[in-house]
Amino acid sequence: MGHKMIEQEIVDGFAEAIREKHIYPVYQPQINHSTGRMVGAEALMRWLSPVYGMQSPADFVPVMEAHDLIFRADVHIFASVCRFQRKCLDTGVPTVPISVNMSRRDVFQHSYVEEIEKIRKQYEIPVKLLRIELTESSAIGGMELIVDTIEKLHACGYIVEMDDFGSGYSSLNILKHLDVDIIKLDLGFLEGDIGGRGGIILSSVVQMAKWLGTPLIAEGVETMEQADYMKSLGCDYIQGYLYSKPLPESEFLVKLGQTDHEATAPAMKLINAMNAGKFWDPDSMETLIFSNFVGAAALFSYQDGLVKILRVNEKYTQELGMRLTEKETIDFNPWQELNEENKRIYEDTIRKAIASKGEETCETWRDLHSKCCGDDRICIRSHIRVIGNAGGQYLIYAMVQNVTAEKKSYQEVYESDQKFRHASEQANVYAWEYTIATKEMRPCFRCMRDLGLPALVKNYPEPAIEVGIFPPDYADMYRDWHRRLAEGEPSLDAIIPLTVGRIPFHVRYTTEFDENGKPLKAYGSATLVVDGEKDKENA
Ligand code: C2E
Ligand code: CA
Ligand code: CA
């Protein structure tokens, strides 16, 4: 047995299937993976045809949608769920909220909300025992209708869930307009790739859901590894074969009696006027401000002494003086850079900021490691502010300033030539980045420390000539190099004696071009000349 019904058979058989209850819901539990308790269930439509056998909603739902039958089917499922909840209430079975699917076609049916309300009242079901799932594709018909529907559902007291979140590329843009209460994330869309790119998408969606203060349910969870991974990201609610397949009513009733229940809790309450949720919307004012106007800044979470960087802006990586990408910075364990004393200073400041609900400032020295400069120490001034918290986890916003150069005493500046000489014996390469259009130079942190350069040097190379890093007899040549870079010179190199000590360095530039061949940036490096090479200068 088991014939997949064709379109005509679905259309022709529909009325009878509803009447005879061949179309009915099955129930899939939603579990809190941390506690093992049931937090809800989803009603999924089944069609068991006496002639053709069990039909899959993936096949018949699209046909019902195409033939304007889905509205009746959805209302029928809603009524069946109400009948089920009534039975639980009457027989004293402790039940959970049950989510019912609303097709995107129902959004066009203006009477949907009135219709389900009529049924709910008829069965006298408390509204908190019913939830409505919408998919983001409902927005295809226009934002207004769906925003309107959510508003109406909220007005009646329904919890509204966003189904299949992350399946469409415009999710973030759509979500900002939709006031949903729970987000459902389908792991199936990631095709098992939770270690790679899928994992990055997952963790940012989970973080974003937290920022929005929206609980998240992971759907399609089949293995313990997946469930544990979701939990590690902070998503505890799981719906999937791991805990249970969708169950027929009788089996679900048994399950309800056997499992403890609990309510879904709000994920994160923002305590500050600044709406952190909007940081995740690429078009929001907050993101614009974060990226362009606030200077170097990072967002991180703090819980039980653990810090996790969630987001940094471009200026942050520049301020630290490293050529790191945002992702490299986020993967970094920020505690690693701090020794015990500096860690204590930083943590004290976080605690102060939590207590004061205002801004607190500290300065900490950090040990950094980068590809260009090896190990080094920089001093960072951080202005710390708590912008959200929930269940012991705090969201923190930190503006940072690299004050390494400023921290150096006069004496040290005076001695910098000595230090440069000394340092160059230790590790013999310095690196920097020169932006051709703006004449801005960004040094590596070794350059900052040994030469007292700030994180950003404007009107390069003039300041380097002024302070004598490039000696006067090489000044015009070095200026000319920058003219040639702007004209598209792909690379330059020469041996130049640097600083008043005239220590010979092999100075090189490599230019980066855009797709039209326009020069963008030049990457500079200065390598201490080893003895054999020195002869070249004389030659
Ligand atoms: P959906 O709303 O995203 O439902 C989740 C689907 O994932 C269900 O498929 C469920 O059985 C399946 N699932 C749950 N856990 C796992 C798992 O661990 N692994 C895998 N591979 N799958 C899992 P189902 O029941 O076949 O429903 C398919 C779709 O049909 C639903 O996707 C929904 O879009 C639609 N549908 C189901 N019932 C209704 C309904 O009453 N009304 C409307 N309009 N659509 C419905
Ligand atoms: Ca669903
Ligand atoms: Ca889904």
Side-chain angles (χ1 to χ4, degrees):
M1 195 161 103
H3 156 84
K4 190 169 128 182
M5 287 165 75
I6 60 163
E7 190 158 350
Q8 201 54 50
E9 289 163 344
I10 293 170
V11 175
D12 291 347
F14 181 78
E16 188 194 334
I18 294 278
R19 206 170 50 238
E20 299 299 324
K21 300 206 170 70
H22 298 149
I23 292 174
Y24 60 92
V26 291
Y27 300 92
Q28 187 172 35
Q30 298 164 337
I31 306 290
N32 181 337
H33 186 53
S34 294
T35 62
R37 297 200 183 112
M38 206 189 295
V39 294
E42 177 177 5
L44 293 156
M45 201 190 307
R46 293 294 177 264
W47 183 341
L48 181 59
S49 157
V51 184
Y52 305 113
M54 182 61 83
Q55 305 298 311
S56 160
D59 300 323
F60 65 72
V61 165
V63 177
M64 290 178 182
E65 285 180 334
H67 291 269
D68 274 335
L69 299 170
I70 194 69
F71 178 68
R72 271 178 68 198
D74 282 345
V75 170
H76 168 76
I77 295 295
F78 185 89
S80 310
V81 171
C82 285
R83 207 175 306 118
F84 175 80
Q85 293 290 41
R86 186 73 262 156
K87 188 152 72 178
C88 291
L89 293 170
D90 289 347
T91 57
V93 174
T95 190
V96 291
I98 296 177
S99 306
V100 178
N101 287 283
M102 177 178 180
S103 159
R104 62 199 176 96
R105 304 284 310 181
D106 299 337
V107 173
F108 297 95
Q109 204 83 41
H110 292 281
S111 60
Y112 179 86
V113 181
E114 286 90 80
E115 199 78 17
I116 62 168
E117 271 299 89
K118 216 167 69 195
I119 297 165
R120 184 180 71 80
K121 285 178 179 150
Q122 197 185 317
Y123 285 97
E124 295 180 51
I125 308 299
V127 71
K128 69 174 190 338
L129 288 180
L130 295 159
R131 293 176 174 175
I132 303 298
E133 285 191 14
L134 296 160
T135 74
E136 60 179 338
S137 63
S138 308
I140 291 169
M143 287 310 278
E144 265 159 56
L145 272 178
I146 185 172
V147 167
D148 209 58
T149 307
I150 294 173
E151 231 166 66
K152 275 207 241 164
L153 287 166
H154 276 163
C156 301
Y158 288 94
I159 290 229
V160 180
E161 304 179 352
M162 169 62 70
D163 202 359
D164 300 339
F165 184 70
S167 60
Y169 81 103
S170 57
S171 305
L172 281 179
N173 289 329
I174 287 186
L175 199 65
K176 80 175 166 203
H177 297 291
L178 302 182
D179 184 16
V180 295
D181 308 293
I182 293 178
I183 292 171
K184 294 188 77 177
L185 183 69
D186 197 327
L187 293 199
F189 292 119
L190 300 160
E191 287 161 356
D193 173 35
I194 57 176
R197 203 182 121 68
I200 296 168
I201 298 172
L202 262 186
S203 72
S204 35
V205 168
V206 174
Q207 285 304 345
M208 188 204 60
K210 281 195 189 168
W211 283 73
L212 292 167
T214 315
L216 205 113
I217 297 176
E219 212 177 4
V221 176
E222 297 184 350
T223 66
M224 193 54 88
E225 286 74 33
Q226 288 176 327
D228 288 343
Y229 182 72
M230 290 313 293
K231 191 182 149 181
S232 77
L233 295 179
C235 169
D236 286 332
Y237 303 138
I238 301 288
Q239 180 188 336
Y241 296 165
L242 171 67
Y243 279 106
S244 174
K245 298 218 168 191
L247 303 171
E249 182 177 315
S250 56
E251 288 176 40
F252 182 58
L253 259 178
V254 173
K255 192 92 162 183
L256 273 176
Q258 287 170 344
T259 321
D260 283 341
H261 309 164
E262 67 180 46
T264 47
M268 186 80 72
K269 280 268 168 289
L270 295 174
I271 59 172
N272 204 282
M274 183 189 255
N275 186 351
K278 295 200 176 116
F279 278 112
W280 296 95
D281 167 6
D283 297 334
S284 76
M285 189 53 83
E286 281 80 357
T287 299
L288 193 72
I289 292 169
F290 182 67
S291 314
N292 299 298
F293 300 119
V294 298
L299 299 167
F300 60 88
S301 65
Y302 172 79
Q303 182 165 32
D304 302 330
L306 286 176
V307 164
K308 187 173 180 306
I309 296 189
L310 303 174
R311 211 168 163 191
V312 298
N313 61 15
E314 201 185 331
K315 290 197 192 100
Y316 177 91
T317 51
Q318 288 168 355
E319 190 71 17
L320 261 59
M322 294 182 293
R323 269 196 253 130
L324 292 177
T325 62
E326 175 173 347
K327 187 178 173 309
E328 282 171 323
T329 314
I330 289 172
D331 288 345
F332 215 61
N333 172 6
W335 269 170
Q336 247 171 330
E337 327 171 336
L338 300 168
N339 63 18
E340 282 308 315
E341 189 202 339
N342 282 285
K343 191 168 148 180
R344 188 185 49 72
I345 294 171
Y346 202 79
E347 216 176 339
D348 280 353
T349 312
I350 294 176
R351 289 212 198 87
K352 257 195 267 167
I354 290 170
S356 72
K357 296 190 169 67
E359 188 174 286
E360 300 293 337
T361 303
C362 68
E363 280 169 11
T364 47
W365 285 89
R366 293 153 190 242
D367 297 308
L368 292 184
H369 181 81
S370 88
K371 282 168 222 143
C372 72
C373 314
D375 297 317
D376 229 309
R377 248 170 117 62
I378 59 169
C379 185
I380 296 291
R381 183 178 298 147
S382 309
H383 305 275
I384 293 170
R385 185 183 278 277
V386 177
I387 56 173
N389 86 322
Q393 186 177 42
Y394 292 90
L395 281 172
I396 290 167
Y397 184 82
M399 299 224 274
V400 301
Q401 255 174 302
N402 187 333
V403 292
T404 313
E406 184 185 310
K407 282 278 124 186
K408 294 171 75 159
S409 68
Y410 256 124
Q411 185 60 27
E412 277 182 295
V413 174
Y414 183 73
E415 283 170 3
S416 82
D417 187 67
Q418 272 312 110
K419 284 181 78 176
F420 180 66
R421 193 187 281 272
H422 174 72
S424 56
E425 284 158 13
Q426 309 283 311
N428 51 16
V429 61
Y430 291 78
W432 65 96
E433 190 182 299
Y434 173 67
T435 307
I436 290 164
T438 57
K439 297 191 173 194
E440 285 172 347
M441 180 271 218
R442 301 180 194 285
C444 68
F445 49 71
R446 165 151 296 155
C447 301
M448 291 192 253
R449 186 200 60 185
D450 294 344
L451 302 166
L453 292 172
L456 175 68
V457 181
K458 295 210 165 115
N459 194 31
Y460 196 76
E462 292 313 317
I465 293 167
E466 245 160 66
V467 300
I469 297 170
F470 284 84
D473 50 328
Y474 280 81
D476 282 337
M477 168 200 156
Y478 196 53
R479 286 192 186 103
D480 189 51
W481 271 24
H482 292 82
R483 266 193 295 279
R484 286 163 67 188
L485 290 173
E487 282 161 13
E489 190 79 44
S491 68
L492 287 162
D493 74 301
I495 289 172
I496 303 179
L498 297 183
T499 74
V500 288
R502 298 188 76 86
I503 306 160
F505 270 81
H506 196 154
V507 182
R508 296 186 182 87
Y509 261 123
T510 310
T511 312
E512 178 184 282
F513 299 89
D514 69 8
E515 60 274 24
N516 304 315
K518 189 170 162 260
L520 289 177
K521 283 183 177 175
Y523 297 100
S525 68
T527 320
L528 184 69
V529 172
V530 289
D531 279 343
E533 223 178 338
K534 221 183 248 173
D535 303 333
K536 271 194 237 156
E537 192 193 8
N538 304 334

